[in-house]
Amino acid sequence: MTMLVSETCHFETDWATNALTGFLIYGLIVSYVPQHLRIIRAGTSVGFSPWFLLLGSTSSAAGMLNMITLQWPVIRCCREVSFGKCIEITAGVFQVGVQWLFFTIILVLYMMYYPPNLKYIQLEVDTHDSRPVQHIRTKLKSSEWRLSIIVSWAVAGHLALLIFTTFLLLLTTPPSPDPSVPHPRQITLWATFLGVSSGVLAAIQYAPQLMRTYRLKLVGALSIPMMIIQSPGGVVMAVSIAMRPGTDWTSWIMYAVSAVMQASLLLMCIIWRMRQRRLGIDDFGRPLGESAAVDQDASTEDSSQTQGEEGTVSVVVEGEDGDNAREDTPLLKPGNVVRRGGILGWIQGLRK
């Protein structure tokens, strides 16, 4: 038995694969950080589609657990090899884990920095005098905020279910009696399900975001530098995973599909960025000369329009579907840029 384990856990050092994996992990971190910082610095997550975040989070989770399932015999070898060798042979798992973690952080930031003035339905009250129309916030959640809350719980439930099922199968399924077959049939079927579902989710992941960005005709909170790095990086990542022992096409297909779809979103954002410069507006539809002043005076504007316990902010989104907006009409008014609510505000929103 000891001889069998030692033979199974004998791995030759592949410097090329290790260097590529290390480069990709570094690239993932460098590519996602600009997106995280962009949301935090802007103080808003305007421009993201909750469907895009739902599909992306569930797709990356399925891809990560597919990798863990297929490389489980390799992971178990960490008990027989040195710590450094363990890091080397499980680098592929760490690679997809970093991708899942950093994408899921986008969802967390989306909820934390969701504009408070868009969380609840606001009514316009005409006072029939010289005063302007009053905007009164109700206690009814807006449809997109309700959807965002459902998305958060769905992502958490999906992750918990996949983790439970994966480790239940890995820890209870007896090993394959045939040495030439690396995985038992149940494990192979589950890994295939995870890989195929991950690929399908990745294929449709960008459709809602492409539609939303097309309708807004603005870049919003999306990070162009992140997409510039990740579009070609997705192809390289697929190749890197394919080179790992124990993986198959179900492990890398998600990343190849995502790279193609993300390249399409990148092209659209570049076109809208050029349009914004021609119209003299920023990524949120604000006149460029007023952007700084709006950021500095945001808290003052919020307090001056407060109604009730938490206050309301007047917001007008014109022509979100692109049908009624003139080309020179900013689609997102300055009121959309709000101060962040913080982690406590996010948790409170989920509980409501």
Side-chain angles (χ1 to χ4, degrees), residues 146-185:
R146 289 199 305 271
L147 174 61
S148 300
I149 295 174
I150 294 173
V151 162
S152 297
W153 286 114
V155 169
H158 174 267
L159 178 63
L161 177 61
L162 291 193
I163 290 177
F164 174 78
T165 305
T166 297
F167 284 96
L168 178 65
L169 289 173
L170 291 175
L171 297 176
T172 59
T173 303
S176 174
D178 186 357
S180 63
V181 180
H183 305 290
R185 178 174 172 78

Side-chain angles (χ1 to χ4, degrees), residues 44-266:
T44 179
S45 57
V46 166
F48 277 99
S49 166
W51 289 110
F52 165 72
L53 298 174
L54 169 66
L55 295 170
S57 298
T58 52
S59 174
S60 59
M64 174 184 64
L65 288 165
N66 166 275
M67 190 73 165
I68 292 175
T69 301
L70 291 178
Q71 289 216 300
W72 185 247
V74 177
I75 296 173
R76 295 183 64 180
C77 286
C78 283
R79 298 179 299 180
E80 307 294 331
V81 299
S82 64
F83 177 76
K85 194 66 176 180
C86 176
I87 296 297
E88 176 186 339
I89 63 179
T90 60
V93 176
F94 184 69
Q95 175 181 327
V96 296
V98 168
Q99 198 275 338
W100 163 79
L101 175 63
F102 277 71
F103 188 92
T104 305
I105 289 176
I106 297 178
L107 172 60
V108 173
L109 292 175
Y110 168 80
M111 296 297 294
M112 289 175 58
Y113 292 85
Y114 193 93
N117 53 310
L118 300 182
K119 290 182 179 180
Y120 298 93
I121 298 175
Q122 298 187 36
L123 301 178
E124 293 187 356
V125 178
D126 189 354
T127 57
H128 301 287
D129 53 26
S130 59
R131 290 179 297 172
V133 174
Q134 300 295 312
H135 298 268
I136 301 178
R137 192 193 68 177
T138 67
K139 294 184 178 180
L140 299 176
K141 295 185 180 72
S142 64
S143 58
E144 185 159 308
W145 177 235
R146 289 199 305 271
L147 174 61
S148 300
I149 295 174
I150 294 173
V151 162
S152 297
W153 286 114
V155 169
H158 174 267
L159 178 63
L161 177 61
L162 291 193
I163 290 177
F164 174 78
T165 305
T166 297
F167 284 96
L168 178 65
L169 289 173
L170 291 175
L171 297 176
T172 59
T173 303
S176 174
D178 186 357
S180 63
V181 180
H183 305 290
R185 178 174 172 78
Q186 300 94 314
I187 299 298
T188 301
L189 290 175
W190 178 245
T192 301
F193 167 76
L194 290 174
V196 171
S197 64
S198 177
V200 171
L201 291 171
I204 61 177
Q205 166 189 354
Y206 284 89
Q209 187 61 57
L210 286 166
M211 293 176 60
R212 185 175 184 85
T213 303
Y214 176 78
R215 290 172 178 172
L216 287 177
K217 293 181 171 57
L218 293 169
V219 176
L222 294 172
S223 171
I224 290 180
M226 178 192 74
M227 291 183 283
I228 290 176
I229 298 174
Q230 288 191 358
S231 295
V235 177
V236 179
M237 188 166 182
V239 173
S240 172
I241 293 174
M243 296 169 63
R244 285 282 161 185
T247 60
D248 56 22
W249 66 272
T250 64
S251 302
W252 57 261
I253 187 65
M254 181 199 79
Y255 303 97
V257 172
S258 296
V260 175
M261 300 297 289
Q262 193 170 54
S264 302
L265 181 61
L266 170 62

